[in-house]
Amino acid sequence: MTAGGLPPYYFRVKENGAIVFRVDAENRQQRLELDQIATVNVNNGQVKPQGTTELTEADRQAIENWMAARQATLAARELDEIDRAIDTLNLTAHWAQSRATDAQLEAVTDRLLMAMHDLRTVLVRKRADRVLDD
């Protein structure tokens, strides 16, 4: 933490990573400044220093720690989204059985069947691969 209780780095999240800023609250104007020092990609682990910036060991360690935490967060979110998809499938089955009109079913049946067939095919293939590997 900096003297003002602020963290030494700020990570502006973007789709595949973040832009990394060093937080400067100890300047002459007593203003909070964010100095961009790097761009990181969590998908491939790439860290690109900004311009001529030389990253310190502390910078690199902070970035590595953030990337590990971010990857864990994204993995947890991914599983949560799958759990939600399972709930949605169950709710969809209940809707189709109890409330859907013929016109509503006609509008979605083919797309649902194709998506479920695709998912089932992938799941069965993956399960077979796991059984063969054991």
Side-chain angles (χ1 to χ4, degrees):
M1 291 285 184
T2 61
L6 296 171
Y9 301 95
Y10 171 69
F11 294 83
R12 181 192 298 156
V13 175
K14 59 183 200 158
E15 187 173 325
N16 61 351
I19 299 172
V20 185
F21 297 89
R22 193 176 292 125
V23 177
D24 180 10
E26 311 259 339
N27 54 62
R28 288 185 289 193
Q29 295 84 18
Q30 296 297 309
R31 284 190 291 201
L32 179 65
E33 292 185 13
L34 300 176
D35 300 321
Q36 184 177 344
I37 62 169
T39 302
V40 298
N41 183 317
V42 294
N43 296 332
N44 62 17
Q46 189 173 46
V47 177
K48 291 183 182 178
Q50 174 66 24
T52 59
T53 302
E54 298 253 350
L55 298 177
T56 66
E57 186 56 36
D59 295 339
R60 292 191 180 283
Q61 188 62 52
I63 290 168
E64 287 176 20
N65 291 344
W66 180 86
M67 286 177 60
R70 183 67 178 167
Q71 288 167 336
T73 296
L74 294 174
R77 283 184 186 167
E78 187 173 48
L79 285 178
D80 185 54
E81 288 175 11
I82 299 305
D83 286 338
R84 289 175 196 229
I86 293 166
D87 287 349
T88 300
L89 283 170
N90 285 314
L91 292 168
T92 302
H94 182 70
W95 168 82
Q97 185 176 28
S98 63
R99 295 189 316 274
T101 66
D102 288 345
Q104 289 171 322
L105 288 171
E106 188 62 34
V108 298
T109 296
D110 289 342
R111 290 182 298 148
L112 276 170
L113 288 172
M114 290 299 293
M116 290 185 320
H117 175 73
D118 181 34
L119 176 60
R120 183 182 186 284
T121 301
V122 169
L123 293 174
V124 167
R125 186 177 338 114
K126 291 289 196 172
R127 177 171 276 171
D129 290 346
R130 287 192 314 271
V131 168
L132 291 175
D133 287 343
D134 288 344

Coordinates of all heavy atoms in Angstrom, one line a residue, residues 20-65:
V20 N -1.6 -2.2 -17.0 CA -1.1 -2.1 -15.6 C -0.6 -0.7 -15.4 O 0.2 -0.1 -16.2 CB 0.1 -3.1 -15.4 CG1 0.6 -3.0 -13.9 CG2 -0.3 -4.5 -15.7
F21 N -1.0 -0.1 -14.3 CA -0.6 1.3 -13.9 C 0.1 1.2 -12.6 O -0.3 0.5 -11.7 CB -1.8 2.2 -13.8 CG -2.6 2.4 -15.1 CD1 -3.6 1.5 -15.4 CD2 -2.3 3.4 -15.9 CE1 -4.3 1.7 -16.5 CE2 -3.0 3.6 -17.1 CZ -4.0 2.7 -17.4
R22 N 1.2 2.0 -12.5 CA 1.8 2.3 -11.2 C 1.1 3.5 -10.6 O 0.9 4.5 -11.2 CB 3.3 2.5 -11.4 CG 4.1 2.5 -10.1 CD 5.6 2.7 -10.3 NE 6.2 1.6 -11.0 CZ 6.9 1.7 -12.1 NH1 7.1 2.9 -12.6 NH2 7.4 0.7 -12.7
V23 N 0.6 3.3 -9.3 CA -0.1 4.4 -8.7 C 0.9 5.4 -8.0 O 1.8 4.9 -7.3 CB -1.1 3.8 -7.6 CG1 -1.8 4.9 -6.8 CG2 -2.1 2.9 -8.2
D24 N 0.7 6.7 -8.3 CA 1.6 7.7 -7.7 C 0.7 8.7 -7.0 O 0.0 9.5 -7.7 CB 2.4 8.4 -8.8 CG 3.3 9.5 -8.3 OD1 3.5 9.6 -7.1 OD2 3.9 10.2 -9.1
A25 N 0.7 8.6 -5.7 CA -0.1 9.6 -4.9 C 0.9 10.5 -4.1 O 0.4 11.3 -3.3 CB -1.0 8.8 -3.9
E26 N 2.2 10.4 -4.4 CA 3.1 11.1 -3.6 C 3.9 12.2 -4.5 O 5.0 12.4 -4.3 CB 4.2 10.1 -3.0 CG 3.6 9.0 -2.3 CD 3.6 9.1 -0.8 OE1 4.4 9.9 -0.3 OE2 2.8 8.4 -0.2
N27 N 3.1 12.8 -5.4 CA 3.8 13.8 -6.2 C 3.6 15.2 -5.7 O 2.9 15.4 -4.7 CB 3.2 13.7 -7.7 CG 1.7 13.8 -7.7 OD1 1.2 14.8 -7.3 ND2 1.1 12.7 -8.1
R28 N 4.2 16.1 -6.3 CA 4.2 17.5 -5.8 C 2.8 18.1 -5.8 O 2.5 18.9 -5.0 CB 5.2 18.4 -6.6 CG 6.6 18.1 -6.4 CD 7.5 19.1 -7.1 NE 7.4 18.8 -8.5 CZ 8.2 19.2 -9.4 NH1 9.1 20.1 -9.1 NH2 8.0 18.9 -10.7
Q29 N 2.0 17.8 -6.8 CA 0.7 18.3 -6.8 C -0.3 17.7 -5.9 O -1.5 18.1 -5.8 CB 0.1 18.3 -8.3 CG 0.9 19.1 -9.3 CD 2.1 18.3 -9.8 OE1 2.2 17.1 -9.7 NE2 3.0 19.1 -10.4
Q30 N 0.1 16.6 -5.2 CA -0.8 15.8 -4.3 C -2.0 15.3 -5.0 O -3.1 15.2 -4.5 CB -1.2 16.7 -3.1 CG -0.1 17.1 -2.2 CD 0.6 15.9 -1.6 OE1 0.0 15.1 -1.0 NE2 1.9 15.9 -1.7
R31 N -1.8 15.0 -6.3 CA -2.8 14.4 -7.1 C -2.5 12.9 -7.3 O -1.4 12.5 -7.4 CB -3.0 15.1 -8.5 CG -3.7 16.4 -8.4 CD -3.9 16.9 -9.8 NE -2.7 17.2 -10.5 CZ -2.6 18.0 -11.5 NH1 -3.7 18.5 -12.0 NH2 -1.4 18.3 -12.0
L32 N -3.6 12.2 -7.5 CA -3.4 10.7 -7.8 C -3.1 10.6 -9.3 O -3.8 11.1 -10.2 CB -4.7 10.0 -7.5 CG -4.7 8.5 -7.8 CD1 -3.7 7.8 -6.9 CD2 -6.1 8.0 -7.6
E33 N -2.0 10.0 -9.6 CA -1.6 9.8 -11.0 C -1.4 8.3 -11.2 O -0.9 7.5 -10.4 CB -0.3 10.5 -11.3 CG -0.5 12.0 -11.3 CD 0.8 12.7 -11.7 OE1 1.7 12.1 -12.3 OE2 0.9 13.9 -11.5
L34 N -1.9 7.8 -12.4 CA -1.7 6.5 -12.8 C -0.8 6.5 -14.0 O -1.1 7.0 -15.0 CB -3.0 5.9 -13.2 CG -4.1 5.8 -12.1 CD1 -5.4 5.3 -12.7 CD2 -3.7 5.0 -10.9
D35 N 0.4 5.9 -13.8 CA 1.4 5.8 -14.9 C 1.4 4.4 -15.5 O 1.7 3.4 -14.8 CB 2.8 6.0 -14.3 CG 2.9 7.4 -13.6 OD1 2.4 8.4 -14.2 OD2 3.6 7.5 -12.6
Q36 N 1.0 4.3 -16.8 CA 0.9 3.0 -17.4 C 2.3 2.5 -17.6 O 3.2 3.1 -18.1 CB 0.2 3.2 -18.8 CG 0.0 1.8 -19.5 CD -0.7 1.9 -20.8 OE1 -1.3 3.0 -21.1 NE2 -0.6 0.9 -21.6
I37 N 2.4 1.2 -17.1 CA 3.8 0.6 -17.2 C 3.8 -0.7 -18.1 O 4.8 -1.1 -18.5 CB 4.3 0.2 -15.8 CG1 3.4 -0.7 -15.0 CG2 4.5 1.5 -15.0 CD1 4.0 -1.3 -13.8
A38 N 2.6 -1.3 -18.3 CA 2.6 -2.5 -19.1 C 1.2 -2.9 -19.5 O 0.2 -2.4 -19.0 CB 3.2 -3.7 -18.2
T39 N 1.2 -3.8 -20.4 CA 0.0 -4.5 -20.9 C 0.2 -6.0 -20.7 O 1.3 -6.5 -21.0 CB -0.4 -4.2 -22.3 OG1 -0.5 -2.8 -22.5 CG2 -1.6 -4.8 -22.8
V40 N -0.8 -6.7 -20.1 CA -0.7 -8.1 -19.9 C -1.8 -8.9 -20.6 O -2.9 -8.4 -20.7 CB -0.6 -8.5 -18.4 CG1 0.6 -7.8 -17.7 CG2 -1.9 -8.1 -17.7
N41 N -1.5 -10.1 -21.0 CA -2.4 -11.0 -21.6 C -2.5 -12.2 -20.8 O -1.5 -13.0 -20.7 CB -2.0 -11.3 -23.0 CG -3.0 -12.2 -23.8 OD1 -3.5 -13.1 -23.3 ND2 -3.2 -11.8 -25.0
V42 N -3.6 -12.5 -20.1 CA -3.8 -13.7 -19.3 C -3.9 -14.9 -20.0 O -3.6 -16.0 -19.5 CB -4.9 -13.6 -18.3 CG1 -4.7 -12.4 -17.3 CG2 -6.3 -13.4 -19.0
N43 N -4.2 -14.9 -21.3 CA -4.4 -16.1 -22.1 C -3.0 -16.7 -22.4 O -2.9 -17.9 -22.4 CB -5.1 -15.8 -23.4 CG -6.6 -15.4 -23.1 OD1 -7.2 -15.7 -22.1 ND2 -7.1 -14.6 -24.0
N44 N -2.0 -15.9 -22.8 CA -0.7 -16.4 -23.1 C 0.4 -16.0 -22.2 O 1.6 -16.4 -22.4 CB -0.4 -16.0 -24.6 CG -0.2 -14.5 -24.8 OD1 -0.1 -13.8 -23.8 ND2 -0.3 -14.1 -26.0
G45 N 0.1 -15.3 -21.1 CA 1.1 -14.9 -20.1 C 2.0 -13.8 -20.6 O 3.0 -13.5 -19.9
Q46 N 1.7 -13.2 -21.7 CA 2.6 -12.2 -22.2 C 2.5 -10.9 -21.4 O 1.4 -10.4 -21.1 CB 2.3 -11.9 -23.7 CG 3.3 -11.0 -24.4 CD 3.0 -11.0 -25.9 OE1 1.8 -10.8 -26.3 NE2 4.0 -11.1 -26.7
V47 N 3.7 -10.3 -21.1 CA 3.7 -9.0 -20.4 C 4.5 -8.0 -21.3 O 5.7 -8.3 -21.7 CB 4.4 -9.1 -19.1 CG1 4.6 -7.7 -18.4 CG2 3.7 -10.0 -18.2
K48 N 3.9 -6.9 -21.8 CA 4.6 -6.0 -22.7 C 4.8 -4.7 -21.9 O 3.8 -4.0 -21.6 CB 3.8 -5.7 -23.9 CG 3.7 -6.8 -24.9 CD 2.9 -6.4 -26.1 CE 2.7 -7.5 -27.1 NZ 2.0 -7.1 -28.2
P49 N 6.0 -4.3 -21.6 CA 6.3 -3.0 -20.9 C 5.8 -1.9 -21.8 O 5.8 -2.0 -23.1 CB 7.8 -3.0 -20.8 CG 8.2 -4.4 -20.8 CD 7.3 -5.1 -21.8
Q50 N 5.3 -0.8 -21.2 CA 4.8 0.4 -22.0 C 6.0 1.2 -22.5 O 6.8 1.7 -21.6 CB 3.9 1.2 -21.1 CG 3.4 2.5 -21.7 CD 2.5 2.3 -22.9 OE1 1.9 1.2 -23.0 NE2 2.4 3.3 -23.8
G51 N 6.1 1.4 -23.8 CA 7.1 2.3 -24.3 C 8.5 1.8 -23.9 O 8.9 0.7 -24.1
T52 N 9.2 2.8 -23.2 CA 10.6 2.5 -22.8 C 10.6 2.1 -21.3 O 11.7 2.1 -20.7 CB 11.5 3.8 -23.0 OG1 10.9 4.9 -22.3 CG2 11.5 4.1 -24.5
T53 N 9.5 1.8 -20.7 CA 9.4 1.5 -19.3 C 10.2 0.2 -19.1 O 10.1 -0.8 -19.8 CB 8.0 1.2 -18.9 OG1 7.2 2.4 -19.1 CG2 7.9 0.9 -17.4
E54 N 11.1 0.2 -18.0 CA 11.8 -0.9 -17.6 C 11.1 -1.4 -16.3 O 11.0 -0.7 -15.3 CB 13.2 -0.6 -17.2 CG 14.0 -0.1 -18.4 CD 15.0 -1.1 -18.9 OE1 15.2 -2.1 -18.2 OE2 15.6 -0.9 -20.0
L55 N 10.5 -2.6 -16.4 CA 9.8 -3.2 -15.2 C 10.8 -3.6 -14.1 O 11.8 -4.3 -14.4 CB 8.9 -4.3 -15.6 CG 7.8 -4.0 -16.6 CD1 7.1 -5.3 -17.0 CD2 6.9 -3.0 -16.1
T56 N 10.5 -3.2 -12.9 CA 11.3 -3.6 -11.8 C 10.9 -5.0 -11.4 O 9.8 -5.6 -11.8 CB 11.1 -2.7 -10.6 OG1 9.7 -2.8 -10.1 CG2 11.4 -1.2 -10.9
E57 N 11.7 -5.6 -10.5 CA 11.3 -7.0 -10.0 C 10.0 -6.9 -9.2 O 9.1 -7.8 -9.3 CB 12.4 -7.5 -9.1 CG 12.2 -8.9 -8.6 CD 12.0 -9.9 -9.8 OE1 12.6 -9.8 -10.8 OE2 11.1 -10.8 -9.6
A58 N 9.7 -5.8 -8.5 CA 8.5 -5.6 -7.8 C 7.3 -5.5 -8.8 O 6.2 -6.0 -8.5 CB 8.5 -4.3 -6.9
D59 N 7.5 -4.8 -9.9 CA 6.5 -4.7 -10.9 C 6.2 -6.1 -11.5 O 5.0 -6.4 -11.6 CB 7.0 -3.8 -12.1 CG 7.2 -2.4 -11.7 OD1 6.7 -1.9 -10.7 OD2 8.0 -1.7 -12.5
R60 N 7.2 -6.8 -11.8 CA 7.0 -8.1 -12.4 C 6.3 -9.1 -11.4 O 5.4 -9.8 -11.8 CB 8.3 -8.7 -12.8 CG 8.9 -8.0 -14.0 CD 10.1 -8.8 -14.6 NE 10.6 -8.1 -15.8 CZ 10.1 -8.0 -17.0 NH1 9.0 -8.7 -17.2 NH2 10.6 -7.4 -18.0
Q61 N 6.7 -9.0 -10.1 CA 6.0 -9.9 -9.1 C 4.6 -9.5 -8.9 O 3.7 -10.4 -8.8 CB 6.8 -9.7 -7.8 CG 6.3 -10.7 -6.7 CD 6.5 -12.2 -7.2 OE1 7.6 -12.6 -7.6 NE2 5.5 -13.0 -7.2
A62 N 4.3 -8.2 -8.9 CA 2.9 -7.7 -8.8 C 2.0 -8.2 -10.0 O 0.9 -8.6 -9.8 CB 2.8 -6.2 -8.6
I63 N 2.6 -8.1 -11.1 CA 1.9 -8.6 -12.4 C 1.7 -10.1 -12.3 O 0.6 -10.5 -12.6 CB 2.7 -8.1 -13.6 CG1 2.6 -6.6 -13.8 CG2 2.2 -8.8 -14.9 CD1 3.6 -6.0 -14.8
E64 N 2.7 -10.8 -12.0 CA 2.5 -12.3 -11.9 C 1.5 -12.7 -10.9 O 0.7 -13.6 -11.1 CB 3.9 -12.9 -11.5 CG 4.9 -12.9 -12.7 CD 6.2 -13.5 -12.2 OE1 6.3 -14.3 -11.2 OE2 7.2 -13.2 -12.9
N65 N 1.5 -12.0 -9.7 CA 0.5 -12.3 -8.7 C -0.9 -12.0 -9.2 O -1.9 -12.7 -9.0 CB 0.8 -11.5 -7.4 CG 2.0 -12.0 -6.7 OD1 2.5 -13.1 -7.0 ND2 2.5 -11.2 -5.8

